[in-house]
Amino acid sequence: NGHKQTVHGGIVSLLFDDGMGWGYEIVTRNSAEKNKNGRIAKAVTANLNIDFRARLPENTTTLMRIYHKKTEGRKVYLCARIESLDGKILYSESSTLYIVLKGEIEKQKEMSG
């Protein structure tokens, strides 16, 4: 359990992990649509870093923003932030690195070929 009336940091971590997983899928789906194969390349999380900036009270409505930073070969970098709806309070921010599994890029090329 976290501190009274505060969302536990482990829950915040879970939200980032899940949210950025969806972000990865969107980035990859856009790429797959460009290749006209519709196949999403499988990847794994190499790391997930979280910086807690402000206490997140229980029952708070928040907004998570996810950004694609860059892609370098099999590495896909994303970052995200959880903030108040008006954007005035930054509760936490995160960065992650996904690694596309070996052979997935080749499968993408084969299917679009």
Side-chain angles (χ1 to χ4, degrees), residues 79-113:
C79 61
R81 50 190 290 134
I82 294 177
E83 58 188 44
S84 59
L85 291 178
D86 62 8
K88 292 182 180 179
I89 303 170
L90 174 61
Y91 295 109
S92 52
E93 53 192 343
S94 179
S95 62
T96 192
L97 166 61
Y98 288 97
I99 306 291
V100 176
L101 297 175
K102 288 184 179 180
E104 287 293 303
I105 294 173
E106 291 76 16
K107 287 179 186 177
Q108 293 281 66
K109 289 177 183 174
E110 287 173 12
M111 293 182 76
S112 63

PDB file of all heavy atoms in Angstrom, residues 79-113:
ATOM      1  N   CYS A  79       8.136   8.504 -24.866  1.00  0.00           N
ATOM      2  CA  CYS A  79       8.082   9.150 -23.560  1.00  0.00           C
ATOM      3  C   CYS A  79       6.627   9.497 -23.281  1.00  0.00           C
ATOM      4  O   CYS A  79       5.792   9.532 -24.193  1.00  0.00           O
ATOM      5  CB  CYS A  79       8.980  10.378 -23.497  1.00  0.00           C
ATOM      6  SG  CYS A  79       8.565  11.668 -24.665  1.00  0.00           S
ATOM      7  N   ALA A  80       6.324   9.726 -22.020  1.00  0.00           N
ATOM      8  CA  ALA A  80       4.949  10.009 -21.635  1.00  0.00           C
ATOM      9  C   ALA A  80       4.934  10.844 -20.368  1.00  0.00           C
ATOM     10  O   ALA A  80       5.934  10.938 -19.650  1.00  0.00           O
ATOM     11  CB  ALA A  80       4.180   8.705 -21.416  1.00  0.00           C
ATOM     12  N   ARG A  81       3.778  11.419 -20.108  1.00  0.00           N
ATOM     13  CA  ARG A  81       3.594  12.196 -18.883  1.00  0.00           C
ATOM     14  C   ARG A  81       2.166  12.025 -18.396  1.00  0.00           C
ATOM     15  O   ARG A  81       1.241  11.902 -19.212  1.00  0.00           O
ATOM     16  CB  ARG A  81       3.947  13.656 -19.107  1.00  0.00           C
ATOM     17  CG  ARG A  81       3.317  14.287 -20.305  1.00  0.00           C
ATOM     18  CD  ARG A  81       3.849  15.671 -20.660  1.00  0.00           C
ATOM     19  NE  ARG A  81       3.450  16.664 -19.707  1.00  0.00           N
ATOM     20  CZ  ARG A  81       4.262  17.581 -19.181  1.00  0.00           C
ATOM     21  NH1 ARG A  81       5.519  17.635 -19.544  1.00  0.00           N
ATOM     22  NH2 ARG A  81       3.830  18.455 -18.306  1.00  0.00           N
ATOM     23  N   ILE A  82       1.998  12.023 -17.104  1.00  0.00           N
ATOM     24  CA  ILE A  82       0.675  12.025 -16.486  1.00  0.00           C
ATOM     25  C   ILE A  82       0.534  13.386 -15.828  1.00  0.00           C
ATOM     26  O   ILE A  82       1.376  13.784 -15.018  1.00  0.00           O
ATOM     27  CB  ILE A  82       0.515  10.887 -15.456  1.00  0.00           C
ATOM     28  CG1 ILE A  82       0.574   9.525 -16.161  1.00  0.00           C
ATOM     29  CG2 ILE A  82      -0.804  11.042 -14.700  1.00  0.00           C
ATOM     30  CD1 ILE A  82       0.503   8.331 -15.230  1.00  0.00           C
ATOM     31  N   GLU A  83      -0.534  14.091 -16.213  1.00  0.00           N
ATOM     32  CA  GLU A  83      -0.722  15.461 -15.741  1.00  0.00           C
ATOM     33  C   GLU A  83      -2.185  15.710 -15.412  1.00  0.00           C
ATOM     34  O   GLU A  83      -3.057  14.907 -15.749  1.00  0.00           O
ATOM     35  CB  GLU A  83      -0.248  16.447 -16.810  1.00  0.00           C
ATOM     36  CG  GLU A  83      -0.961  16.295 -18.125  1.00  0.00           C
ATOM     37  CD  GLU A  83      -0.353  17.129 -19.239  1.00  0.00           C
ATOM     38  OE1 GLU A  83       0.879  17.167 -19.379  1.00  0.00           O
ATOM     39  OE2 GLU A  83      -1.141  17.732 -19.987  1.00  0.00           O
ATOM     40  N   SER A  84      -2.435  16.821 -14.768  1.00  0.00           N
ATOM     41  CA  SER A  84      -3.816  17.218 -14.504  1.00  0.00           C
ATOM     42  C   SER A  84      -4.482  17.577 -15.830  1.00  0.00           C
ATOM     43  O   SER A  84      -3.802  17.856 -16.823  1.00  0.00           O
ATOM     44  CB  SER A  84      -3.842  18.418 -13.548  1.00  0.00           C
ATOM     45  OG  SER A  84      -3.136  19.515 -14.095  1.00  0.00           O
ATOM     46  N   LEU A  85      -5.799  17.563 -15.838  1.00  0.00           N
ATOM     47  CA  LEU A  85      -6.524  17.832 -17.085  1.00  0.00           C
ATOM     48  C   LEU A  85      -6.204  19.202 -17.661  1.00  0.00           C
ATOM     49  O   LEU A  85      -6.169  19.372 -18.875  1.00  0.00           O
ATOM     50  CB  LEU A  85      -8.031  17.687 -16.867  1.00  0.00           C
ATOM     51  CG  LEU A  85      -8.537  16.267 -16.613  1.00  0.00           C
ATOM     52  CD1 LEU A  85     -10.035  16.271 -16.367  1.00  0.00           C
ATOM     53  CD2 LEU A  85      -8.185  15.346 -17.767  1.00  0.00           C
ATOM     54  N   ASP A  86      -5.938  20.176 -16.791  1.00  0.00           N
ATOM     55  CA  ASP A  86      -5.618  21.518 -17.276  1.00  0.00           C
ATOM     56  C   ASP A  86      -4.129  21.682 -17.600  1.00  0.00           C
ATOM     57  O   ASP A  86      -3.693  22.729 -18.068  1.00  0.00           O
ATOM     58  CB  ASP A  86      -6.066  22.590 -16.279  1.00  0.00           C
ATOM     59  CG  ASP A  86      -5.386  22.483 -14.928  1.00  0.00           C
ATOM     60  OD1 ASP A  86      -4.434  21.671 -14.765  1.00  0.00           O
ATOM     61  OD2 ASP A  86      -5.803  23.218 -14.009  1.00  0.00           O
ATOM     62  N   GLY A  87      -3.346  20.623 -17.355  1.00  0.00           N
ATOM     63  CA  GLY A  87      -1.919  20.655 -17.671  1.00  0.00           C
ATOM     64  C   GLY A  87      -1.064  21.424 -16.678  1.00  0.00           C
ATOM     65  O   GLY A  87       0.144  21.558 -16.870  1.00  0.00           O
ATOM     66  N   LYS A  88      -1.644  21.899 -15.599  1.00  0.00           N
ATOM     67  CA  LYS A  88      -0.893  22.712 -14.634  1.00  0.00           C
ATOM     68  C   LYS A  88      -0.056  21.880 -13.662  1.00  0.00           C
ATOM     69  O   LYS A  88       0.924  22.370 -13.126  1.00  0.00           O
ATOM     70  CB  LYS A  88      -1.849  23.620 -13.856  1.00  0.00           C
ATOM     71  CG  LYS A  88      -2.475  24.700 -14.729  1.00  0.00           C
ATOM     72  CD  LYS A  88      -3.372  25.606 -13.934  1.00  0.00           C
ATOM     73  CE  LYS A  88      -3.979  26.671 -14.839  1.00  0.00           C
ATOM     74  NZ  LYS A  88      -4.888  27.554 -14.098  1.00  0.00           N
ATOM     75  N   ILE A  89      -0.462  20.630 -13.440  1.00  0.00           N
ATOM     76  CA  ILE A  89       0.273  19.775 -12.508  1.00  0.00           C
ATOM     77  C   ILE A  89       0.843  18.587 -13.271  1.00  0.00           C
ATOM     78  O   ILE A  89       0.109  17.830 -13.903  1.00  0.00           O
ATOM     79  CB  ILE A  89      -0.623  19.259 -11.365  1.00  0.00           C
ATOM     80  CG1 ILE A  89      -1.262  20.418 -10.603  1.00  0.00           C
ATOM     81  CG2 ILE A  89       0.186  18.372 -10.418  1.00  0.00           C
ATOM     82  CD1 ILE A  89      -2.334  19.993  -9.621  1.00  0.00           C
ATOM     83  N   LEU A  90       2.143  18.422 -13.208  1.00  0.00           N
ATOM     84  CA  LEU A  90       2.813  17.252 -13.772  1.00  0.00           C
ATOM     85  C   LEU A  90       3.031  16.269 -12.633  1.00  0.00           C
ATOM     86  O   LEU A  90       3.813  16.522 -11.720  1.00  0.00           O
ATOM     87  CB  LEU A  90       4.150  17.642 -14.411  1.00  0.00           C
ATOM     88  CG  LEU A  90       5.020  16.505 -14.910  1.00  0.00           C
ATOM     89  CD1 LEU A  90       4.299  15.699 -15.993  1.00  0.00           C
ATOM     90  CD2 LEU A  90       6.347  17.041 -15.420  1.00  0.00           C
ATOM     91  N   TYR A  91       2.303  15.162 -12.647  1.00  0.00           N
ATOM     92  CA  TYR A  91       2.417  14.167 -11.583  1.00  0.00           C
ATOM     93  C   TYR A  91       3.629  13.267 -11.788  1.00  0.00           C
ATOM     94  O   TYR A  91       4.349  12.965 -10.839  1.00  0.00           O
ATOM     95  CB  TYR A  91       1.148  13.317 -11.494  1.00  0.00           C
ATOM     96  CG  TYR A  91      -0.065  14.116 -11.081  1.00  0.00           C
ATOM     97  CD1 TYR A  91      -1.075  14.399 -11.984  1.00  0.00           C
ATOM     98  CD2 TYR A  91      -0.198  14.597  -9.782  1.00  0.00           C
ATOM     99  CE1 TYR A  91      -2.190  15.140 -11.618  1.00  0.00           C
ATOM    100  CE2 TYR A  91      -1.301  15.332  -9.397  1.00  0.00           C
ATOM    101  CZ  TYR A  91      -2.292  15.609 -10.319  1.00  0.00           C
ATOM    102  OH  TYR A  91      -3.376  16.343  -9.950  1.00  0.00           O
ATOM    103  N   SER A  92       3.848  12.833 -13.011  1.00  0.00           N
ATOM    104  CA  SER A  92       4.990  11.961 -13.289  1.00  0.00           C
ATOM    105  C   SER A  92       5.251  11.943 -14.786  1.00  0.00           C
ATOM    106  O   SER A  92       4.378  12.269 -15.593  1.00  0.00           O
ATOM    107  CB  SER A  92       4.735  10.541 -12.769  1.00  0.00           C
ATOM    108  OG  SER A  92       3.507  10.048 -13.239  1.00  0.00           O
ATOM    109  N   GLU A  93       6.475  11.565 -15.129  1.00  0.00           N
ATOM    110  CA  GLU A  93       6.836  11.427 -16.536  1.00  0.00           C
ATOM    111  C   GLU A  93       7.706  10.196 -16.691  1.00  0.00           C
ATOM    112  O   GLU A  93       8.320   9.726 -15.740  1.00  0.00           O
ATOM    113  CB  GLU A  93       7.499  12.688 -17.072  1.00  0.00           C
ATOM    114  CG  GLU A  93       8.663  13.192 -16.289  1.00  0.00           C
ATOM    115  CD  GLU A  93       9.082  14.590 -16.715  1.00  0.00           C
ATOM    116  OE1 GLU A  93       8.698  15.042 -17.801  1.00  0.00           O
ATOM    117  OE2 GLU A  93       9.809  15.224 -15.941  1.00  0.00           O
ATOM    118  N   SER A  94       7.742   9.688 -17.910  1.00  0.00           N
ATOM    119  CA  SER A  94       8.389   8.409 -18.136  1.00  0.00           C
ATOM    120  C   SER A  94       9.004   8.355 -19.532  1.00  0.00           C
ATOM    121  O   SER A  94       8.576   9.057 -20.444  1.00  0.00           O
ATOM    122  CB  SER A  94       7.337   7.299 -17.995  1.00  0.00           C
ATOM    123  OG  SER A  94       7.897   6.043 -18.235  1.00  0.00           O
ATOM    124  N   SER A  95      10.007   7.506 -19.652  1.00  0.00           N
ATOM    125  CA  SER A  95      10.571   7.203 -20.965  1.00  0.00           C
ATOM    126  C   SER A  95      10.756   5.698 -21.046  1.00  0.00           C
ATOM    127  O   SER A  95      10.938   5.020 -20.028  1.00  0.00           O
ATOM    128  CB  SER A  95      11.906   7.925 -21.173  1.00  0.00           C
ATOM    129  OG  SER A  95      12.850   7.492 -20.213  1.00  0.00           O
ATOM    130  N   THR A  96      10.683   5.189 -22.252  1.00  0.00           N
ATOM    131  CA  THR A  96      10.844   3.748 -22.434  1.00  0.00           C
ATOM    132  C   THR A  96      11.540   3.466 -23.758  1.00  0.00           C
ATOM    133  O   THR A  96      11.525   4.276 -24.676  1.00  0.00           O
ATOM    134  CB  THR A  96       9.482   3.021 -22.375  1.00  0.00           C
ATOM    135  OG1 THR A  96       9.694   1.619 -22.287  1.00  0.00           O
ATOM    136  CG2 THR A  96       8.636   3.309 -23.588  1.00  0.00           C
ATOM    137  N   LEU A  97      12.151   2.315 -23.794  1.00  0.00           N
ATOM    138  CA  LEU A  97      12.804   1.824 -25.001  1.00  0.00           C
ATOM    139  C   LEU A  97      12.231   0.451 -25.308  1.00  0.00           C
ATOM    140  O   LEU A  97      12.268  -0.445 -24.457  1.00  0.00           O
ATOM    141  CB  LEU A  97      14.322   1.721 -24.795  1.00  0.00           C
ATOM    142  CG  LEU A  97      15.109   0.920 -25.841  1.00  0.00           C
ATOM    143  CD1 LEU A  97      14.974   1.536 -27.222  1.00  0.00           C
ATOM    144  CD2 LEU A  97      16.567   0.814 -25.420  1.00  0.00           C
ATOM    145  N   TYR A  98      11.673   0.318 -26.500  1.00  0.00           N
ATOM    146  CA  TYR A  98      11.210  -0.977 -26.992  1.00  0.00           C
ATOM    147  C   TYR A  98      12.222  -1.489 -28.001  1.00  0.00           C
ATOM    148  O   TYR A  98      12.749  -0.717 -28.803  1.00  0.00           O
ATOM    149  CB  TYR A  98       9.846  -0.859 -27.678  1.00  0.00           C
ATOM    150  CG  TYR A  98       8.713  -0.625 -26.718  1.00  0.00           C
ATOM    151  CD1 TYR A  98       8.245   0.655 -26.475  1.00  0.00           C
ATOM    152  CD2 TYR A  98       8.119  -1.684 -26.049  1.00  0.00           C
ATOM    153  CE1 TYR A  98       7.203   0.873 -25.590  1.00  0.00           C
ATOM    154  CE2 TYR A  98       7.084  -1.474 -25.163  1.00  0.00           C
ATOM    155  CZ  TYR A  98       6.634  -0.189 -24.934  1.00  0.00           C
ATOM    156  OH  TYR A  98       5.606   0.027 -24.061  1.00  0.00           O
ATOM    157  N   ILE A  99      12.460  -2.780 -27.977  1.00  0.00           N
ATOM    158  CA  ILE A  99      13.326  -3.430 -28.958  1.00  0.00           C
ATOM    159  C   ILE A  99      12.464  -4.363 -29.807  1.00  0.00           C
ATOM    160  O   ILE A  99      11.812  -5.268 -29.276  1.00  0.00           O
ATOM    161  CB  ILE A  99      14.462  -4.251 -28.295  1.00  0.00           C
ATOM    162  CG1 ILE A  99      15.270  -3.393 -27.320  1.00  0.00           C
ATOM    163  CG2 ILE A  99      15.337  -4.903 -29.360  1.00  0.00           C
ATOM    164  CD1 ILE A  99      16.101  -2.321 -27.982  1.00  0.00           C
ATOM    165  N   VAL A 100      12.445  -4.112 -31.101  1.00  0.00           N
ATOM    166  CA  VAL A 100      11.714  -4.995 -32.011  1.00  0.00           C
ATOM    167  C   VAL A 100      12.483  -6.311 -32.077  1.00  0.00           C
ATOM    168  O   VAL A 100      13.714  -6.326 -32.220  1.00  0.00           O
ATOM    169  CB  VAL A 100      11.584  -4.356 -33.411  1.00  0.00           C
ATOM    170  CG1 VAL A 100      10.919  -5.318 -34.386  1.00  0.00           C
ATOM    171  CG2 VAL A 100      10.812  -3.047 -33.326  1.00  0.00           C
ATOM    172  N   LEU A 101      11.764  -7.415 -31.951  1.00  0.00           N
ATOM    173  CA  LEU A 101      12.400  -8.734 -31.940  1.00  0.00           C
ATOM    174  C   LEU A 101      13.122  -8.997 -33.260  1.00  0.00           C
ATOM    175  O   LEU A 101      12.662  -8.562 -34.328  1.00  0.00           O
ATOM    176  CB  LEU A 101      11.355  -9.816 -31.688  1.00  0.00           C
ATOM    177  CG  LEU A 101      10.652  -9.737 -30.328  1.00  0.00           C
ATOM    178  CD1 LEU A 101       9.558 -10.786 -30.245  1.00  0.00           C
ATOM    179  CD2 LEU A 101      11.634  -9.877 -29.183  1.00  0.00           C
ATOM    180  N   LYS A 102      14.234  -9.716 -33.159  1.00  0.00           N
ATOM    181  CA  LYS A 102      14.998 -10.062 -34.370  1.00  0.00           C
ATOM    182  C   LYS A 102      14.101 -10.813 -35.340  1.00  0.00           C
ATOM    183  O   LYS A 102      13.316 -11.660 -34.958  1.00  0.00           O
ATOM    184  CB  LYS A 102      16.209 -10.925 -34.010  1.00  0.00           C
ATOM    185  CG  LYS A 102      17.288 -10.161 -33.323  1.00  0.00           C
ATOM    186  CD  LYS A 102      18.501 -11.032 -33.067  1.00  0.00           C
ATOM    187  CE  LYS A 102      19.575 -10.204 -32.380  1.00  0.00           C
ATOM    188  NZ  LYS A 102      20.764 -10.998 -32.104  1.00  0.00           N
ATOM    189  N   GLY A 103      14.220 -10.481 -36.598  1.00  0.00           N
ATOM    190  CA  GLY A 103      13.432 -11.130 -37.636  1.00  0.00           C
ATOM    191  C   GLY A 103      12.118 -10.429 -37.937  1.00  0.00           C
ATOM    192  O   GLY A 103      11.526 -10.641 -38.988  1.00  0.00           O
ATOM    193  N   GLU A 104      11.649  -9.564 -37.042  1.00  0.00           N
ATOM    194  CA  GLU A 104      10.368  -8.888 -37.264  1.00  0.00           C
ATOM    195  C   GLU A 104      10.445  -7.876 -38.404  1.00  0.00           C
ATOM    196  O   GLU A 104       9.507  -7.745 -39.178  1.00  0.00           O
ATOM    197  CB  GLU A 104       9.887  -8.200 -35.979  1.00  0.00           C
ATOM    198  CG  GLU A 104       9.392  -9.151 -34.927  1.00  0.00           C
ATOM    199  CD  GLU A 104       8.112  -9.856 -35.339  1.00  0.00           C
ATOM    200  OE1 GLU A 104       7.115  -9.176 -35.634  1.00  0.00           O
ATOM    201  OE2 GLU A 104       8.101 -11.099 -35.369  1.00  0.00           O
ATOM    202  N   ILE A 105      11.548  -7.169 -38.503  1.00  0.00           N
ATOM    203  CA  ILE A 105      11.696  -6.187 -39.583  1.00  0.00           C
ATOM    204  C   ILE A 105      11.723  -6.897 -40.931  1.00  0.00           C
ATOM    205  O   ILE A 105      11.093  -6.461 -41.893  1.00  0.00           O
ATOM    206  CB  ILE A 105      12.952  -5.316 -39.369  1.00  0.00           C
ATOM    207  CG1 ILE A 105      12.758  -4.448 -38.120  1.00  0.00           C
ATOM    208  CG2 ILE A 105      13.245  -4.456 -40.592  1.00  0.00           C
ATOM    209  CD1 ILE A 105      13.970  -3.664 -37.694  1.00  0.00           C
ATOM    210  N   GLU A 106      12.415  -8.032 -40.977  1.00  0.00           N
ATOM    211  CA  GLU A 106      12.466  -8.802 -42.219  1.00  0.00           C
ATOM    212  C   GLU A 106      11.082  -9.317 -42.597  1.00  0.00           C
ATOM    213  O   GLU A 106      10.697  -9.312 -43.759  1.00  0.00           O
ATOM    214  CB  GLU A 106      13.446  -9.979 -42.088  1.00  0.00           C
ATOM    215  CG  GLU A 106      14.895  -9.575 -42.005  1.00  0.00           C
ATOM    216  CD  GLU A 106      15.317  -9.007 -40.650  1.00  0.00           C
ATOM    217  OE1 GLU A 106      14.571  -9.191 -39.640  1.00  0.00           O
ATOM    218  OE2 GLU A 106      16.376  -8.379 -40.586  1.00  0.00           O
ATOM    219  N   LYS A 107      10.299  -9.738 -41.591  1.00  0.00           N
ATOM    220  CA  LYS A 107       8.923 -10.192 -41.858  1.00  0.00           C
ATOM    221  C   LYS A 107       8.084  -9.067 -42.418  1.00  0.00           C
ATOM    222  O   LYS A 107       7.270  -9.267 -43.320  1.00  0.00           O
ATOM    223  CB  LYS A 107       8.285 -10.735 -40.576  1.00  0.00           C
ATOM    224  CG  LYS A 107       8.813 -12.078 -40.132  1.00  0.00           C
ATOM    225  CD  LYS A 107       8.132 -12.526 -38.848  1.00  0.00           C
ATOM    226  CE  LYS A 107       8.753 -13.783 -38.319  1.00  0.00           C
ATOM    227  NZ  LYS A 107       8.155 -14.188 -37.025  1.00  0.00           N
ATOM    228  N   GLN A 108       8.287  -7.846 -41.873  1.00  0.00           N
ATOM    229  CA  GLN A 108       7.562  -6.687 -42.373  1.00  0.00           C
ATOM    230  C   GLN A 108       7.869  -6.471 -43.854  1.00  0.00           C
ATOM    231  O   GLN A 108       6.983  -6.225 -44.663  1.00  0.00           O
ATOM    232  CB  GLN A 108       7.939  -5.417 -41.602  1.00  0.00           C
ATOM    233  CG  GLN A 108       7.501  -5.388 -40.161  1.00  0.00           C
ATOM    234  CD  GLN A 108       6.041  -5.033 -40.042  1.00  0.00           C
ATOM    235  OE1 GLN A 108       5.179  -5.778 -40.476  1.00  0.00           O
ATOM    236  NE2 GLN A 108       5.775  -3.919 -39.431  1.00  0.00           N
ATOM    237  N   LYS A 109       9.155  -6.539 -44.202  1.00  0.00           N
ATOM    238  CA  LYS A 109       9.579  -6.308 -45.574  1.00  0.00           C
ATOM    239  C   LYS A 109       9.019  -7.380 -46.512  1.00  0.00           C
ATOM    240  O   LYS A 109       8.563  -7.105 -47.603  1.00  0.00           O
ATOM    241  CB  LYS A 109      11.108  -6.264 -45.665  1.00  0.00           C
ATOM    242  CG  LYS A 109      11.690  -5.027 -45.049  1.00  0.00           C
ATOM    243  CD  LYS A 109      13.202  -5.041 -45.099  1.00  0.00           C
ATOM    244  CE  LYS A 109      13.781  -3.820 -44.396  1.00  0.00           C
ATOM    245  NZ  LYS A 109      15.241  -3.884 -44.320  1.00  0.00           N
ATOM    246  N   GLU A 110       9.051  -8.651 -46.055  1.00  0.00           N
ATOM    247  CA  GLU A 110       8.548  -9.753 -46.869  1.00  0.00           C
ATOM    248  C   GLU A 110       7.056  -9.584 -47.175  1.00  0.00           C
ATOM    249  O   GLU A 110       6.601  -9.808 -48.291  1.00  0.00           O
ATOM    250  CB  GLU A 110       8.741 -11.093 -46.156  1.00  0.00           C
ATOM    251  CG  GLU A 110      10.172 -11.556 -46.123  1.00  0.00           C
ATOM    252  CD  GLU A 110      10.355 -12.806 -45.255  1.00  0.00           C
ATOM    253  OE1 GLU A 110       9.328 -13.433 -44.873  1.00  0.00           O
ATOM    254  OE2 GLU A 110      11.502 -13.129 -44.939  1.00  0.00           O
ATOM    255  N   MET A 111       6.314  -9.173 -46.137  1.00  0.00           N
ATOM    256  CA  MET A 111       4.862  -9.058 -46.302  1.00  0.00           C
ATOM    257  C   MET A 111       4.473  -7.859 -47.149  1.00  0.00           C
ATOM    258  O   MET A 111       3.409  -7.845 -47.752  1.00  0.00           O
ATOM    259  CB  MET A 111       4.193  -8.982 -44.932  1.00  0.00           C
ATOM    260  CG  MET A 111       4.317 -10.270 -44.153  1.00  0.00           C
ATOM    261  SD  MET A 111       3.465 -10.185 -42.579  1.00  0.00           S
ATOM    262  CE  MET A 111       1.782 -10.370 -43.143  1.00  0.00           C
ATOM    263  N   SER A 112       5.342  -6.837 -47.195  1.00  0.00           N
ATOM    264  CA  SER A 112       4.994  -5.662 -48.002  1.00  0.00           C
ATOM    265  C   SER A 112       5.516  -5.788 -49.426  1.00  0.00           C
ATOM    266  O   SER A 112       5.132  -5.023 -50.291  1.00  0.00           O
ATOM    267  CB  SER A 112       5.555  -4.387 -47.362  1.00  0.00           C
ATOM    268  OG  SER A 112       6.978  -4.435 -47.334  1.00  0.00           O
ATOM    269  N   GLY A 113       6.407  -6.772 -49.650  1.00  0.00           N
ATOM    270  CA  GLY A 113       7.067  -6.966 -50.914  1.00  0.00           C
ATOM    271  C   GLY A 113       6.214  -7.335 -52.030  1.00  0.00           C
ATOM    272  O   GLY A 113       6.141  -7.048 -53.111  1.00  0.00           O
TER     273      GLY A 113
END
